[in-house]
Amino acid sequence: MKNKMKRVKIGLFLIAVIGLSSGCAGNQNEFTNNNDDANIVKVHTSKPIDQSLANEAKEKVIKEEEISGVKAVNTDKELLLAVKVDQFDRFRLKKIEKKVKSDLE
Protein backbone atom coordinates (compact mmCIF):
# COMPACT_ATOMS: atom_id res chain seq x y z
CA MET A 1 0.00 0.00 0.00
CA LYS A 2 2.81 2.44 0.92
CA ASN A 3 4.73 1.44 -2.17
CA LYS A 4 1.69 2.13 -4.38
CA MET A 5 1.16 5.62 -2.84
CA LYS A 6 4.82 6.42 -3.33
CA ARG A 7 4.57 5.49 -7.04
CA VAL A 8 1.44 7.65 -7.45
CA LYS A 9 3.20 10.64 -5.86
CA ILE A 10 6.26 10.18 -8.09
CA GLY A 11 4.01 9.86 -11.14
CA LEU A 12 2.10 13.05 -10.30
CA PHE A 13 5.37 14.87 -9.69
CA LEU A 14 6.73 13.78 -13.08
CA ILE A 15 3.52 14.82 -14.85
CA ALA A 16 3.69 18.24 -13.17
CA VAL A 17 7.35 18.73 -14.15
CA ILE A 18 6.72 17.69 -17.75
CA GLY A 19 3.64 19.94 -17.95
CA LEU A 20 5.49 22.97 -16.62
CA SER A 21 8.54 22.47 -18.80
CA SER A 22 6.50 22.02 -21.98
CA GLY A 23 4.36 25.08 -21.17
CA CYS A 24 7.41 27.31 -20.85
CA ALA A 25 8.96 26.17 -24.12
CA GLY A 26 5.94 26.87 -26.33
CA ASN A 27 6.54 30.48 -27.52
CA GLN A 28 10.29 30.74 -27.94
CA ASN A 29 10.04 32.47 -31.32
CA GLU A 30 7.48 35.03 -30.20
CA PHE A 31 9.97 37.86 -29.64
CA THR A 32 12.28 37.33 -32.58
CA ASN A 33 13.01 40.27 -34.81
CA ASN A 34 10.73 39.63 -37.77
CA ASN A 35 10.70 42.67 -40.05
CA ASP A 36 8.63 41.15 -42.84
CA ASP A 37 5.59 43.34 -42.19
CA ALA A 38 7.32 46.46 -40.84
CA ASN A 39 6.48 49.66 -42.68
CA ILE A 40 9.26 52.18 -42.18
CA VAL A 41 8.53 55.68 -43.40
CA LYS A 42 11.13 58.41 -43.49
CA VAL A 43 9.78 61.67 -42.13
CA HIS A 44 11.50 64.73 -43.50
CA THR A 45 10.99 68.46 -43.42
CA SER A 46 12.87 70.95 -45.47
CA LYS A 47 13.25 73.41 -42.59
CA PRO A 48 13.16 73.04 -38.81
CA ILE A 49 9.95 74.05 -37.06
CA ASP A 50 10.20 76.71 -34.35
CA GLN A 51 9.46 75.08 -30.97
CA SER A 52 9.06 78.32 -29.02
CA LEU A 53 5.29 77.73 -28.71
CA ALA A 54 5.91 74.30 -27.20
CA ASN A 55 8.50 75.74 -24.80
CA GLU A 56 6.08 78.46 -23.65
CA ALA A 57 3.37 75.86 -23.06
CA LYS A 58 5.75 73.70 -21.02
CA GLU A 59 6.79 76.64 -18.84
CA LYS A 60 3.15 77.57 -18.18
CA VAL A 61 1.96 74.03 -17.39
CA ILE A 62 4.88 72.95 -15.17
CA LYS A 63 3.98 75.69 -12.68
CA GLU A 64 0.92 73.69 -11.54
CA GLU A 65 1.66 71.91 -8.27
CA GLU A 66 0.08 68.57 -9.22
CA ILE A 67 2.17 68.26 -12.41
CA SER A 68 5.64 66.77 -12.10
CA GLY A 69 6.75 66.67 -15.74
CA VAL A 70 5.86 68.01 -19.17
CA LYS A 71 6.92 67.18 -22.73
CA ALA A 72 5.70 69.26 -25.66
CA VAL A 73 6.21 69.56 -29.39
CA ASN A 74 4.46 71.63 -32.03
CA THR A 75 3.96 71.70 -35.77
CA ASP A 76 2.53 74.51 -37.85
CA LYS A 77 -1.03 73.54 -36.92
CA GLU A 78 -0.86 71.40 -33.75
CA LEU A 79 0.57 71.44 -30.25
CA LEU A 80 1.10 68.06 -28.58
CA LEU A 81 1.56 68.07 -24.83
CA ALA A 82 2.30 65.13 -22.51
CA VAL A 83 1.84 65.77 -18.81
CA LYS A 84 3.13 63.61 -15.95
CA VAL A 85 0.87 63.87 -12.91
CA ASP A 86 1.83 63.03 -9.33
CA GLN A 87 0.56 59.71 -8.01
CA PHE A 88 -2.44 60.72 -5.91
CA ASP A 89 -3.47 63.48 -8.30
CA ARG A 90 -4.30 60.82 -10.93
CA PHE A 91 -7.73 60.53 -9.32
CA ARG A 92 -8.41 64.07 -10.56
CA LEU A 93 -6.91 63.53 -14.01
CA LYS A 94 -9.97 64.71 -15.97
CA LYS A 95 -10.16 67.92 -13.93
CA ILE A 96 -6.43 68.59 -14.38
CA GLU A 97 -6.68 67.94 -18.13
CA LYS A 98 -9.59 70.36 -18.42
CA LYS A 99 -7.69 73.05 -16.48
CA VAL A 100 -4.54 72.66 -18.58
CA LYS A 101 -6.53 72.88 -21.81
CA SER A 102 -8.33 76.03 -20.70
CA ASP A 103 -5.07 77.64 -19.54
CA LEU A 104 -3.37 76.93 -22.87
CA GLU A 105 -6.26 78.13 -25.01
Side-chain angles (χ1 to χ4, degrees), residues 25-41:
N27 294 328
Q28 290 180 354
N29 295 329
E30 183 175 336
F31 295 108
T32 59
N33 190 4
N34 190 1
N35 289 333
D36 294 339
D37 60 347
N39 294 329
I40 299 174
V41 178

Side-chain angles (χ1 to χ4, degrees), residues 46-93:
S46 59
K47 60 179 180 167
I49 298 173
D50 184 27
Q51 296 296 308
S52 62
L53 181 66
N55 292 332
E56 289 177 31
K58 286 192 319 188
E59 289 174 9
K60 187 169 190 154
V61 171
I62 198 67
K63 292 178 183 177
E64 302 293 327
E65 71 178 59
E66 59 267 343
I67 296 174
S68 59
V70 179
K71 301 281 183 183
V73 64
N74 68 290
T75 63
D76 293 334
K77 300 176 183 177
E78 292 182 318
L79 171 67
L80 300 174
L81 191 77
V83 179
K84 184 176 180 183
V85 180
D86 292 330
Q87 186 173 6
F88 290 110
D89 290 323
R90 290 183 185 266
F91 295 115
R92 301 182 306 122
L93 199 55

